[in-house]
Amino acid sequence: AGVKVICCVSGLLLSVASLLSMFNIIGNDEEHEKWGLSRSIQSFYLFFFGLLIFFCDMKEEWANQAFDMQTKLFRFFYFMATQPGRAAFYFYVGSITIIMWPESDLWKWVYIALGFVFCVLGAVMIGLRCLEHCRQQ
């Protein structure tokens, strides 16, 4: 349950950080001009991925109150319903978050930290899956 809480909070933090950087709420205009369209699109995807992670790891009762959101998500994106699939997704999100490399040192360290957290969470989820599998045998 602790890993799910960390994943949920990390997903929300990724979405917030992506929104702040996409709309240049924290930063200067010169940096935003260097940011470019491709980085803005990548920030949009990271925002979406953060929300996806948030809804996947949210308590089922809470997430399904609005249009059975989590149930539909797991039906259409089945890999997110399995622990290895979700771990692989976390590695993917972590790796693209780490390589964002914005000009600002603040954003650079924010993205590196968030990316590192997602990579570690992916490894933890794989480790938990392996432990579960070993205990069954």
Side-chain angles (χ1 to χ4, degrees), residues 44-110:
F44 174 76
Y45 278 112
L46 288 176
F47 167 74
F48 178 71
F49 291 158
L51 286 181
L52 189 67
I53 290 167
F54 177 72
F55 279 112
C56 282
D57 289 310
M58 185 185 279
K59 276 182 105 173
E60 186 177 353
E61 301 86 41
W62 298 348
N64 284 329
Q65 284 182 350
F67 311 109
D68 285 336
M69 188 82 97
Q70 195 178 65
T71 304
K72 289 178 183 175
L73 180 71
F74 289 160
R75 184 180 315 132
F76 294 116
F77 301 103
Y78 182 71
F79 69 96
M80 293 297 284
T82 67
Q83 202 164 6
R86 201 177 301 174
F89 183 70
Y90 289 172
F91 277 124
Y92 171 71
V93 171
S95 65
I96 64 172
T97 303
I98 288 174
I99 62 170
M100 282 284 284
W101 289 108
E103 295 290 322
S104 165
D105 286 338
L106 169 70
W107 285 116
K108 187 181 299 184
W109 288 110
V110 166

Side-chain angles (χ1 to χ4, degrees), residues 10-23 39-55 89 93 96-97 100 111 114 118:
S10 298
L12 196 58
L13 286 174
L14 179 64
S15 290
V16 169
S18 297
L19 267 181
L20 291 175
S21 66
M22 188 169 34
F23 293 116
R39 295 289 174 117
S40 295
I41 291 171
Q42 193 172 8
S43 289
F44 174 76
Y45 278 112
L46 288 176
F47 167 74
F48 178 71
F49 291 158
L51 286 181
L52 189 67
I53 290 167
F54 177 72
F55 279 112
F89 183 70
V93 171
I96 64 172
T97 303
M100 282 284 284
Y111 279 115
L114 282 170
F118 280 112

